[in-house]
Coordinates of all heavy atoms in Angstrom, one line a residue:
G14 N 16.3 19.9 -2.8 CA 15.6 19.3 -1.6 C 14.3 20.0 -1.3 O 13.7 19.7 -0.2
Q15 N 13.8 20.8 -2.2 CA 12.5 21.4 -2.0 C 11.4 20.5 -2.4 O 11.4 20.0 -3.6 CB 12.4 22.7 -2.7 CG 13.4 23.8 -2.3 CD 13.5 24.9 -3.3 OE1 13.4 24.7 -4.5 NE2 13.6 26.1 -2.8
T16 N 10.4 20.3 -1.6 CA 9.2 19.5 -2.0 C 8.4 20.3 -2.9 O 7.9 21.4 -2.6 CB 8.4 19.1 -0.7 OG1 9.3 18.4 0.2 CG2 7.2 18.2 -1.1
R17 N 8.1 19.7 -4.1 CA 7.3 20.4 -5.1 C 5.9 19.9 -5.1 O 5.0 20.6 -5.5 CB 7.9 20.2 -6.5 CG 9.4 20.6 -6.6 CD 9.7 22.0 -6.1 NE 9.1 23.0 -7.0 CZ 8.9 24.2 -6.7 NH1 9.2 24.7 -5.5 NH2 8.3 25.0 -7.5
L18 N 5.7 18.6 -4.7 CA 4.4 18.0 -4.6 C 4.4 16.9 -3.6 O 5.4 16.2 -3.5 CB 4.0 17.4 -6.0 CG 2.6 16.8 -6.1 CD1 1.5 17.8 -6.1 CD2 2.5 15.9 -7.3
S19 N 3.4 16.9 -2.7 CA 3.3 15.8 -1.8 C 1.9 15.4 -1.6 O 1.0 16.2 -1.7 CB 3.9 16.2 -0.4 OG 3.1 17.2 0.2
R20 N 1.7 14.1 -1.4 CA 0.4 13.5 -1.2 C 0.5 12.4 -0.2 O 1.3 11.5 -0.4 CB -0.2 13.0 -2.6 CG -1.5 12.4 -2.5 CD -2.6 13.4 -2.3 NE -3.8 12.8 -2.4 CZ -4.9 13.2 -1.7 NH1 -4.9 14.3 -1.0 NH2 -6.0 12.6 -1.9
Y21 N -0.3 12.5 0.8 CA -0.2 11.4 1.9 C -1.5 10.6 1.8 O -2.6 11.2 1.7 CB 0.0 12.1 3.2 CG 1.3 12.6 3.4 CD1 1.7 13.9 2.9 CD2 2.3 11.9 4.1 CE1 3.0 14.4 3.1 CE2 3.6 12.4 4.2 CZ 3.9 13.6 3.7 OH 5.2 14.1 3.9
Y22 N -1.4 9.3 2.0 CA -2.6 8.5 1.9 C -2.9 7.9 3.3 O -3.8 7.1 3.4 CB -2.4 7.3 0.9 CG -2.2 7.9 -0.5 CD1 -0.9 8.1 -1.0 CD2 -3.3 8.4 -1.2 CE1 -0.7 8.6 -2.2 CE2 -3.1 8.9 -2.5 CZ -1.8 9.1 -3.0 OH -1.6 9.6 -4.2
E23 N -2.2 8.4 4.3 CA -2.5 8.1 5.7 C -2.4 9.4 6.5 O -1.6 10.3 6.1 CB -1.5 7.1 6.3 CG -1.6 5.7 5.8 CD -0.6 4.8 6.4 OE1 0.4 5.3 7.1 OE2 -0.7 3.6 6.3
H24 N -3.1 9.6 7.5 CA -3.0 10.8 8.3 C -1.6 10.9 9.0 O -1.2 10.0 9.7 CB -4.1 10.9 9.3 CG -4.0 12.1 10.2 ND1 -4.3 13.4 9.7 CD2 -3.6 12.3 11.5 CE1 -4.0 14.3 10.7 NE2 -3.6 13.6 11.8
V25 N -1.0 12.0 8.7 CA 0.3 12.4 9.3 C 0.2 13.8 9.7 O -0.1 14.7 8.9 CB 1.5 12.1 8.4 CG1 2.8 12.5 9.0 CG2 1.5 10.7 7.8
E26 N 0.5 14.1 11.0 CA 0.5 15.5 11.4 C 1.5 16.4 10.6 O 2.5 15.9 10.2 CB 0.8 15.6 12.9 CG -0.2 14.9 13.8 CD 0.2 14.9 15.3 OE1 1.2 15.6 15.6 OE2 -0.4 14.1 16.0
I27 N 1.2 17.6 10.5 CA 2.0 18.6 9.7 C 3.4 18.6 10.2 O 4.4 18.5 9.4 CB 1.4 20.0 9.7 CG1 0.0 20.0 9.1 CG2 2.3 21.0 9.0 CD1 -0.1 19.6 7.6
H28 N 3.6 18.7 11.5 CA 5.0 18.7 12.0 C 5.7 17.4 11.7 O 6.9 17.5 11.3 CB 4.9 18.9 13.6 CG 6.2 18.9 14.2 ND1 6.8 17.8 14.8 CD2 7.1 19.9 14.4 CE1 8.0 18.1 15.2 NE2 8.2 19.4 15.0
K29 N 5.1 16.3 11.8 CA 5.7 15.0 11.5 C 6.0 14.9 10.0 O 7.0 14.3 9.5 CB 4.9 13.9 12.0 CG 4.9 13.7 13.5 CD 4.2 12.5 13.9 CE 4.2 12.4 15.4 NZ 3.5 11.3 16.0
R30 N 5.1 15.5 9.1 CA 5.3 15.5 7.7 C 6.6 16.2 7.3 O 7.4 15.7 6.5 CB 4.2 16.2 7.0 CG 2.9 15.4 6.8 CD 1.9 16.1 6.0 NE 0.7 15.4 6.0 CZ -0.4 15.7 5.2 NH1 -0.3 16.7 4.4 NH2 -1.5 15.0 5.3
T31 N 6.8 17.4 8.0 CA 8.0 18.2 7.7 C 9.2 17.4 8.0 O 10.2 17.4 7.3 CB 7.9 19.5 8.5 OG1 6.7 20.1 8.2 CG2 9.1 20.4 8.1
M32 N 9.2 16.8 9.2 CA 10.4 16.0 9.6 C 10.6 14.8 8.7 O 11.7 14.5 8.3 CB 10.2 15.5 11.1 CG 10.4 16.7 12.1 SD 10.2 16.3 13.8 CE 10.2 14.5 13.9
L33 N 9.5 14.1 8.4 CA 9.6 12.9 7.5 C 10.1 13.3 6.1 O 11.0 12.6 5.6 CB 8.2 12.3 7.4 CG 8.1 11.1 6.4 CD1 8.8 9.9 6.9 CD2 6.6 10.8 6.1
E34 N 9.6 14.3 5.6 CA 10.1 14.8 4.2 C 11.5 15.1 4.3 O 12.3 14.8 3.4 CB 9.2 15.9 3.7 CG 7.8 15.5 3.3 CD 7.0 16.7 2.8 OE1 7.5 17.7 2.5 OE2 5.7 16.5 2.8
A35 N 12.0 15.8 5.3 CA 13.4 16.2 5.4 C 14.3 15.0 5.4 O 15.3 14.9 4.7 CB 13.6 17.1 6.6
E36 N 13.9 14.0 6.2 CA 14.7 12.8 6.4 C 14.7 12.0 5.1 O 15.7 11.5 4.6 CB 14.2 11.9 7.5 CG 14.5 12.6 8.9 CD 13.9 11.8 10.0 OE1 13.6 10.5 9.8 OE2 13.7 12.3 11.1
V37 N 13.5 11.8 4.5 CA 13.4 11.1 3.2 C 14.2 11.7 2.1 O 15.0 11.1 1.4 CB 11.9 11.0 2.8 CG1 11.8 10.5 1.4 CG2 11.2 10.0 3.8
I38 N 14.1 13.0 2.0 CA 14.8 13.8 1.0 C 16.3 13.6 1.2 O 17.1 13.4 0.2 CB 14.4 15.3 1.0 CG1 13.0 15.4 0.5 CG2 15.4 16.1 0.1 CD1 12.3 16.7 0.7
K39 N 16.8 13.8 2.4 CA 18.2 13.6 2.7 C 18.7 12.2 2.3 O 19.8 12.1 1.7 CB 18.5 13.9 4.2 CG 19.9 13.9 4.6 CD 20.1 14.1 6.1 CE 20.0 12.7 6.7 NZ 20.2 12.6 8.1
N40 N 17.9 11.2 2.7 CA 18.3 9.8 2.3 C 18.4 9.6 0.8 O 19.3 8.9 0.3 CB 17.4 8.8 3.0 CG 17.6 8.6 4.4 OD1 18.7 8.7 4.9 ND2 16.6 8.3 5.2

Side-chain angles (χ1 to χ4, degrees):
Q15 299 168 319
T16 302
R17 307 307 292 162
L18 179 73
S19 67
R20 179 74 173 149
Y21 289 82
Y22 299 99
E23 292 181 345
H24 175 72
V25 180
E26 295 175 13
I27 298 295
H28 179 264
K29 289 184 180 180
R30 282 185 189 190
T31 306
M32 290 180 9
L33 174 71
E34 288 178 20
E36 291 176 22
V37 165
I38 291 166
K39 185 181 85 173
N40 282 330

